[in-house]
Amino acid sequence: MKKVLYGIVLGCVALAGTAQGADVMNVALKVFGTRSWASSEYGEAYRADGAIDGLPQVKWNSALGKGEPFWWIVDLREPCEIQEIVIRHEAGGNVTSDFQLQRADAPEGPWTDLLAPIVGNKDALSRHAFAPVATRYVRLFITKAEQNGNNYARIFEVEVMGRREMSDDPLRKAFLYERMMNMGCLSDEQFEAAAKGLASDDVFVRALAYATIAQKVGQANNGATVEIGPDTDLPWVKAYAAVTHEEQVQFDYIRHAALEGKLFDKEALWKDFEMLYTRTKDLPDFDDGWDHTYYDHRTLIDILPEEEIRDIWLSFREDIARLLVYQSGIGDKILVYTRYGFHYKPNVCGTHVSWAYKPGGDILEVSLKDGSARPLLNGRLGPGHVHGMDVWYDGDRVVFAWAPQPVWPPPPEFETVWPKPQDSNACFAHDLRETMEPTHLYELDLKSGEITQLTDHNYWGDTEPVYLPSGAIVFSSDRGAHSPSCDSVNNDLSDLNLYELTADRKRIRRLLNHKDIDMHPRVLNNGQIAYLRWEYQERNFMEVHSVWVTKPDGSRVDALFKQHLAQPYGVRLAGSLGDSPRLLAVATGHHCLPQGPLVILNPAVGVNSPDGIEVVTQGMRINEGGVPGRPPAEGGRVEAGGFYTDPMAVTEKSFLASYGFDAPRAVRYTYEAADVDSNGYGVYLVDVYGNKELLFRDPWMGAYGAQVLRPRKKPPVLTDTTDRSLNHATCMIPNVYQGMDGVARGEIRHIRISEALPWPIVPGEGVKRWVEGWTNGDKNATRWCPVRVIGTVPVEADGSAHFKVPVTDSASVYFQALDENFMEVRRMRSSVSFAPGENRSCNGCHETRTMTDAEGRGTALMRPPSEPVPPAWGAKVPIHFDRDVQPVLTKHCARCHSGDEPKGGLDFTEGKAFRTIRDKKLVAITHCNMNGEITKPKQYGSHASPLIQAIRKQDPFMPEADWLALVTWVDANTPWTGAMFHRRTPDGRENVWGTYDWPDPWGYPKDTPAMGERITRK
């Protein structure tokens, strides 16, 4: 049987009938079976076929060091009459400058120019028409790559417009229309033709017509307003809304088969049938009738028509669906919530705000018998949307976050936000926070239907609530009033941290004192809370999205998985996998929503081992980076694109999750290669064997957060060991030398405790920023934030230490082991928070490890804990080069290192010293783009810095105060200022550097009322 493939028309070029009986379209697309190759490729993510994949966000990029000329060739598979070539170059200074377009009848040539060489091109989208000519091969020959001088070729898409014969088969046309809609390039006339397929007698045609209409609805509603809904008075809308759940399930099987390349390949369909049959034939209640079908038809596969194989395959898929759902143990009902798709800035710090989704949706009780859905909120809270939920262990109540949106869209002065969130300079977070009501927590009694509001802060939002076994609620909130240490100067976005609403629903307390992001809480089967921790310290900002855990009282905070593993960049939404110690999670990129392939994490294999990752749904592209690991032993599933989110384990083998199909035109951020339409996510039952069954899909919105609606096992209630009357925790180290390879016993004499400070958000003023690399012109930024030294404590001769650490809000402390001269021996490139009254012990001096209570006792543990001794400038203010370090250099160095010809070319005078030290690499520092590896002793800091070594040699008797100021600054990774960049000030000034009044690190923790706390808005 000949396999016929059909393509997507890019650039919204409509199909046009011609006298030759062919259609004008992009004949170079991969879906036609074309192939491409190039002079070089930068890597797997930048292959030559990136220019013919139909995705305008995926490009071909030539390799590093491979100079001009560059060339790229496409084989059209068969001779086509072509008449125009459209090239999508990379924009900005990366536009291809000089090139030729050529044709040939053989891959080796000879090559003939299609038109005169193009010289000095400046158009990011260049169009090149010529007289129609028949050819099989097309070459782009680049003689000058980029106007900015970079020696790369960067091409997002090459569209070869020509004529290709098309089939009149209704199913193949339905597939073509669905693919064109996927790219947003289906004309109104073509859509009307596609929509009529919903009335076809062929279920396969109906399925693809339904997918086409669903994408039409999703694309129309991707922005801030609803353009198409159930009340839209159009015939095709009514027909679309009338599709039953049973039909949706059929259609879902067919759509997946089409995207997987099986629909027009009876061998592939039969192979899929065999795989399903093998996986399910031994299950209880399997229909023996399918044994006869399998054995009767297996030997007839070569002579059975394609249509019959399709019908057998579909019938079997429907039958085993009921069996798999029944066997899963889900029960008869599940709870889901619906809402429209995201349309703001999908960074971690932009997903929780109340304006990130438009109003719409509900919490639904879904029957698994017939797919019917009963709304539980039913408009009682007014316009708004759900922002996370959790079902109580007895299955009788649900806590959820709700964003009230009585006024929508936002005020017109912010209209440039909608629907272009990828413009990072136009997110207006400060203005919107001053204008829009934030999210609040609510509780719904599933028996009585009563709704109770639990929080009502008028400025800070509360989201992602999860029940603790004690009856309290852990949730994510930006009440910490600080911002991510990155991003555009105009953003004013906010961080999330974890908070607890007490079981009596009266008080709120902060659980974690982390300056960066803590979110996605999940209660594990051992009673601990797992969560995503995103940190900005002294290592690669892309890589550090790790799974951390804490006790529900905020103590025993530690990394659980991926603290020093580079990829995947993020593992998010991690929760227990049944009763096992493994975790079910989603692998993600950095600048993206929590969506990607489903993975199983096994920390027992190693906290930072890729061998601890099982990729359940393989073949999926994530927004950034890659996904190491292996398939599960049971095989897993290979997907044809799309994204998963909101996984919840039902057993160790099966789980609920939301899945959405790729929607290339729904891109929501510049780093993302695709996304999901506003109605794209449906709820599925997925297992490690590769089975996937649609349980619920709403035609207008996405479905999220699926949970079983039956009693489930409650984790243990862990004892609260904190004392909130104290302003400190106590650390105990029996032996600091454990794991300190190459360091002689007795060398470490002190521990320095420092705090990486957050970027504060002040209501009415916005974010107080501090980014050295962007604001001071340093391309190798060393820190994302200012740092203050809490103080130093002694280490005894036997390597033991016993000391206090502060626990006030936003206290992310980190430690450095120092020698007798207060020089760093080893540093911690991460940070950790403590709970008030916590007693924490660990062995050794580690970068980050799974910390356990240490065994043995040292001499330091026989005495009261040491009080940290602050530096001369005090523990409250950050280190400031001009105030703390420049006077030392002026006093000891500037006499020789100044003037027109400073000694050694090193100028240490005021205003020049900082740049001299950095530019001449006189200090060994980390920076924000380094990897996340574990730090070795004396790898960075004062021992590895030429400046310190020279001063020790030239000025061995430097006064102690001067010496301490110098080495403390170097070991703090050389921050240049203790000031903050004020976007707005109370007196009306904008964008000025100035001091900031930091709170006392030794302040006492405080609870806040759950209801009634207010901030005065402008």
XYZ file of all heavy atoms in Angstrom, residues 419-450:
256
model
N -2.463 39.930 24.002
C -1.996 38.629 24.502
C -0.533 38.398 24.150
O -0.204 37.426 23.503
C -2.899 37.657 23.750
C -3.068 38.327 22.398
C -2.938 39.818 22.622
N 0.371 39.322 24.494
C 1.775 39.186 24.135
C 2.655 39.141 25.374
O 3.465 40.029 25.616
C 2.202 40.326 23.225
C 1.550 40.279 21.849
C 2.307 41.111 20.850
C 3.710 40.625 20.684
N 4.366 41.135 19.478
N 2.518 38.092 26.180
C 3.304 38.040 27.420
C 4.784 37.853 27.184
O 5.573 38.089 28.077
C 2.710 36.810 28.131
C 2.191 35.971 27.013
C 1.686 36.929 25.987
N 5.179 37.413 25.947
C 6.597 37.203 25.722
C 7.386 38.505 25.732
O 8.597 38.495 25.768
C 6.833 36.446 24.411
C 6.343 37.169 23.179
C 4.953 36.732 22.789
O 4.115 36.544 23.656
N 4.715 36.550 21.511
N 6.694 39.640 25.680
C 7.369 40.931 25.805
C 7.630 41.186 27.283
O 6.774 41.651 28.009
C 6.490 42.038 25.209
C 7.188 43.406 25.256
O 8.304 43.468 25.814
O 6.615 44.366 24.754
N 8.830 40.857 27.737
C 9.117 40.920 29.171
C 9.102 42.339 29.703
O 9.071 42.555 30.904
C 10.480 40.286 29.463
O 11.506 40.964 28.758
N 9.144 43.342 28.828
C 9.111 44.722 29.289
C 7.694 45.264 29.423
O 7.494 46.436 29.670
C 9.893 45.609 28.318
C 11.366 45.283 28.332
O 11.935 45.066 29.383
N 11.980 45.222 27.171
N 6.695 44.410 29.242
C 5.321 44.899 29.250
C 4.417 44.049 30.127
O 3.264 43.835 29.807
C 4.771 44.935 27.830
N 4.943 43.523 31.239
C 4.086 42.674 32.061
C 3.324 43.472 33.120
O 2.343 42.992 33.668
C 4.887 41.561 32.718
S 5.920 42.097 34.071
N 3.758 44.703 33.438
C 3.006 45.608 34.309
C 2.606 44.969 35.643
O 1.521 45.226 36.161
C 1.747 46.123 33.603
C 2.021 46.985 32.415
C 1.784 46.512 31.143
C 2.539 48.256 32.568
C 2.043 47.303 30.034
C 2.799 49.059 31.471
C 2.552 48.581 30.195
N 3.468 44.107 36.187
C 3.101 43.402 37.419
C 2.840 44.366 38.575
O 1.914 44.162 39.363
C 4.200 42.407 37.797
N 3.645 45.406 38.685
C 3.443 46.353 39.785
C 2.073 47.020 39.679
O 1.317 47.078 40.657
C 4.539 47.414 39.772
C 4.272 48.571 40.682
N 4.358 48.476 42.048
C 3.880 49.847 40.423
C 4.046 49.643 42.592
N 3.751 50.487 41.622
N 1.738 47.513 38.500
C 0.468 48.213 38.316
C -0.714 47.267 38.492
O -1.724 47.624 39.100
C 0.424 48.846 36.921
C 1.647 49.695 36.647
O 1.646 50.877 37.006
O 2.611 49.158 36.088
N -0.580 46.056 37.971
C -1.673 45.102 38.085
C -1.871 44.649 39.525
O -2.997 44.439 39.980
C -1.414 43.894 37.177
C -1.543 44.187 35.684
C -0.935 43.069 34.854
C -2.999 44.392 35.305
N -0.768 44.502 40.263
C -0.897 44.120 41.672
C -1.589 45.216 42.470
O -2.315 44.950 43.435
C 0.486 43.823 42.259
C 0.437 43.196 43.653
C 1.825 42.850 44.167
N 2.419 41.790 43.378
C 3.433 41.954 42.557
N 3.980 43.156 42.399
N 3.921 40.960 41.875
N -1.376 46.455 42.069
C -2.045 47.566 42.748
C -3.525 47.648 42.356
O -4.309 48.302 43.027
C -1.351 48.889 42.386
C 0.091 49.001 42.841
C 0.214 49.324 44.320
O -0.772 49.792 44.908
O 1.292 49.082 44.889
N -3.886 46.999 41.250
C -5.226 47.147 40.683
C -6.108 45.922 40.889
O -7.286 46.050 41.199
C -5.119 47.431 39.161
O -4.284 48.571 38.962
C -6.485 47.679 38.552
N -5.535 44.719 40.698
C -6.307 43.482 40.678
C -6.356 42.843 42.061
O -5.400 42.925 42.842
C -5.695 42.490 39.694
C -5.460 43.035 38.291
S -6.996 43.397 37.404
C -7.581 41.733 37.122
N -7.464 42.174 42.348
C -7.572 41.438 43.607
C -6.785 40.140 43.491
O -6.829 39.460 42.464
C -9.031 41.137 43.923
C -9.228 40.521 45.306
C -10.693 40.412 45.707
O -11.551 40.855 44.932
O -10.959 39.874 46.788
N -6.052 39.750 44.530
C -5.247 38.521 44.455
C -6.088 37.269 44.696
O -7.284 37.347 44.979
C -4.223 38.719 45.580
C -4.945 39.558 46.589
C -5.834 40.486 45.794
N -5.439 36.127 44.591
C -6.097 34.852 44.861
C -6.261 34.648 46.361
O -5.440 35.087 47.166
C -5.296 33.682 44.279
O -3.948 33.765 44.771
C -5.265 33.727 42.772
N -7.324 33.934 46.750
C -7.608 33.605 48.150
C -7.882 32.114 48.279
O -8.156 31.436 47.284
C -8.830 34.378 48.662
C -8.779 35.847 48.435
N -7.720 36.635 48.826
C -9.669 36.702 47.845
C -7.948 37.897 48.502
N -9.123 37.953 47.886
N -7.843 31.624 49.501
C -8.151 30.223 49.771
C -9.602 30.080 50.224
O -10.126 30.914 50.977
C -7.219 29.659 50.846
C -5.720 29.708 50.563
C -4.953 28.961 51.653
C -5.386 29.144 49.187
N -10.211 28.997 49.772
C -11.584 28.672 50.125
C -11.663 27.177 50.432
O -10.827 26.387 49.995
C -12.549 28.983 48.976
C -12.642 30.440 48.600
C -11.649 31.046 47.827
C -13.730 31.219 48.992
C -11.732 32.384 47.464
C -13.821 32.557 48.634
C -12.820 33.127 47.868
O -12.914 34.446 47.515
N -12.718 26.799 51.156
C -12.960 25.385 51.434
C -14.406 25.055 51.079
O -15.329 25.802 51.402
C -12.678 25.056 52.900
C -12.585 23.569 53.176
C -11.993 23.284 54.557
O -12.236 24.085 55.487
O -11.293 22.266 54.709
N -14.583 23.925 50.397
C -15.897 23.482 49.944
C -16.239 22.164 50.623
O -15.480 21.188 50.514
C -15.889 23.309 48.422
C -17.085 22.603 47.784
C -18.360 23.423 47.953
C -16.815 22.321 46.312
N -17.351 22.139 51.325
C -17.868 20.904 51.911
C -18.612 20.151 50.814
O -19.631 20.621 50.302
C -18.797 21.220 53.081
C -19.225 19.975 53.837
O -19.747 19.038 53.204
O -19.061 19.936 55.067
N -18.124 18.971 50.452
C -18.695 18.250 49.320
C -20.056 17.644 49.630
O -20.802 17.294 48.709
C -17.728 17.155 48.857
C -16.409 17.658 48.267
C -15.483 16.504 47.947
C -16.651 18.498 47.026
N -20.396 17.517 50.898
C -21.708 16.977 51.256
C -22.773 18.060 51.285
O -23.841 17.927 50.704
C -21.628 16.264 52.609
C -20.769 15.001 52.577
C -20.753 14.315 53.932
C -19.915 13.031 53.877
N -19.859 12.355 55.209
N -22.470 19.166 51.973
C -23.470 20.231 52.097
C -23.403 21.243 50.964
O -24.356 21.972 50.712
C -23.277 20.964 53.427
O -22.053 21.694 53.431
N -22.237 21.308 50.277
C -22.046 22.300 49.229
C -21.654 23.663 49.762
O -21.474 24.610 48.984
N -21.482 23.808 51.069
C -21.148 25.102 51.666
C -19.711 25.501 51.332
O -18.789 24.691 51.396
C -21.329 25.042 53.179
C -21.040 26.349 53.889
C -21.208 26.250 55.397
O -21.661 25.190 55.868
O -20.874 27.226 56.094
